[in-house]
Amino acid sequence: MGVALRAGDMVIVRTADVGHHHRTPWFVKGKAGTVRLVHGAFPNPESRAHGGDGLPKRRLCQVEFRQTDVWGKRYRGADADVVLVDMFEHWLERG
Amino acid sequence: MADEHPPLEHVERGLRATRILAIRRLLTDKGVITVAEVDDIIERARERTPADGAKVVARAWVDDAYKARLLTNARSAVAELGYRLSHDAELAVVENTADVHHLVVCTLCSCYPTSLLGPPPDWYKSFAYRQRAVVEPRAVLREFGLALAGRVRVAVVDSTADVRYLVLPRRPSGTENMAEDALAELVTRDSMIGVAAARLPR
């Protein structure tokens, strides 16, 4: 994983099309964002959903995406509007 | 232990209800959870109502130091007022200001700060809200009766994981002399989800 992500870090969400349960919304896959804060470590839902113990825990980051980056011209709002998504660190690559 | 299940015909047979009952039956038949545990979770959720969240908001409005604690460590701040969160979900509070308006959605399911607000409203769980809140939040807000100026930044919060979000709405103007109890009356459930502003005083 390298050095843990911190607030302010630029990230890109992995585009993996995994076949199991995961908590990464499709609309941010492949999108660039900025880590706003790190909530702490939580059991990995991709393990727990399939009978596993969720260990090792994964750090959960709140990532900010610009709405115009997520939806492009479809987005009808202000350029400054954002969506904040809680994302597990193993879905994030440094941008 | 099939006897422990309520007969299906006693329950409204919408698609969602049928699906929920089927999932519950699988989970209990396979021993993942018991019927008593499900009932206990529902009972605990019903112990809370939006009036509880409103007390937290009103305290933050009258006490800047409390507000600072609430925004940085919500779990311990709500514990000061006697509220205990469930052990398996964290709580975070986001503050609405003149510059930024937060609204909360869970696009993946229906995560909600039940430990503080009670069960979520049905619309919060609807596919329409879960899709539209994130794609066209300003249109959704207008339908709830909230027209924001273009200069106010809209921040949609998607609670996809282990953190539940509560919105700290703006304190309405004209409430400078109101007591904490009266202020709490202005704090609606919808204002703590972020689809509305707090009520104006009469």
Side-chain angles (χ1 to χ4, degrees), chain A residues 22-25 27 39 42-43 48 60 62 64 67 71 74-78 80-88, chain B residues 90 92 94 102 106-109 111 134-138 150 152-163 165:
Chain A
H22 60 292
R23 307 289 300 175
T24 303
F27 58 84
H39 291 298
F42 294 89
R48 280 207 306 171
L60 184 66
Q62 186 196 69
E64 177 182 295
Q67 286 278 35
W71 306 109
R74 268 184 77 191
Y75 187 72
R76 293 183 184 176
D81 289 356
V82 296
V83 56
L84 308 170
V85 186
D86 285 343
M87 316 229 2
F88 285 94
Chain B
E90 271 309 324
V94 288
H102 297 83
C106 174
T107 62
L108 297 180
C109 46
C111 296
V134 75
V135 182
E136 46 176 357
R138 287 175 185 266
V152 178
R153 194 162 61 106
V154 171
V156 178
V157 184
D158 188 356
S159 59
T160 53
D162 298 76
V163 179
Y165 283 93

Side-chain angles (χ1 to χ4, degrees), chain B residues 60-149:
Chain B
W61 281 350
V62 300
D63 182 342
D64 284 343
Y66 181 79
K67 183 171 94 171
R69 293 197 294 279
L70 184 66
L71 293 173
T72 51
N73 189 342
R75 176 179 283 271
S76 68
V78 300
E80 291 178 40
L81 302 190
Y83 296 116
R84 284 182 53 185
L85 305 177
S86 60
H87 67 282
D88 56 351
E90 271 309 324
L91 178 72
V93 177
V94 288
E95 181 185 17
N96 282 349
T97 68
D99 300 318
V100 60
H101 181 94
H102 297 83
L103 79 157
V104 179
V105 64
C106 174
T107 62
L108 297 180
C109 46
S110 54
C111 296
Y112 187 78
T114 310
S115 302
L116 216 48
L117 300 184
D122 282 345
W123 58 258
Y124 184 84
K125 299 180 278 187
S126 71
F127 288 126
Y129 178 74
R130 289 164 47 198
Q131 292 169 358
R132 295 187 57 216
V134 75
V135 182
E136 46 176 357
R138 287 175 185 266
V140 170
L141 291 172
R142 275 196 299 276
E143 288 170 32
F144 274 95
L146 185 61
L148 291 176

Side-chain angles (χ1 to χ4, degrees), chain B residues 44-60:
Chain B
R44 271 190 283 136
R46 286 184 175 154
E47 285 174 5
R48 292 285 170 239
T49 71
D52 295 301
K55 287 178 188 162
V56 172
V57 169
R59 174 64 58 88

Side-chain angles (χ1 to χ4, degrees), chain A residues 2 10 14-18 20-22 24 32 36 40 44-45 54 56 62 64 68 73 82 85 88-89 92:
Chain A
M10 305 280 289
R14 287 176 50 213
T15 55
D17 192 13
V18 296
H20 57 258
H21 174 83
H22 60 292
T24 303
R36 279 269 303 256
N44 183 356
Q62 186 196 69
E64 177 182 295
T68 50
K73 289 178 180 169
V82 296
V85 186
F88 285 94
E89 61 182 346
L92 303 174

Side-chain angles (χ1 to χ4, degrees), chain A residues 3-77:
Chain A
V3 180
L5 292 167
R6 293 188 308 180
D9 287 348
M10 305 280 289
V11 292
I12 295 174
V13 182
R14 287 176 50 213
T15 55
D17 192 13
V18 296
H20 57 258
H21 174 83
H22 60 292
R23 307 289 300 175
T24 303
W26 63 269
F27 58 84
V28 293
K29 287 185 180 177
K31 303 295 182 184
T34 307
V35 175
R36 279 269 303 256
L37 56 93
V38 179
H39 291 298
F42 294 89
N44 183 356
E46 292 165 55
S47 157
R48 280 207 306 171
H50 300 278
D53 59 9
L55 301 177
K57 288 184 177 180
R58 300 286 194 169
R59 280 152 62 94
L60 184 66
C61 303
Q62 186 196 69
V63 183
E64 177 182 295
F65 302 90
R66 289 166 53 109
Q67 286 278 35
T68 50
D69 287 343
V70 174
W71 306 109
K73 289 178 180 169
R74 268 184 77 191
Y75 187 72
R76 293 183 184 176

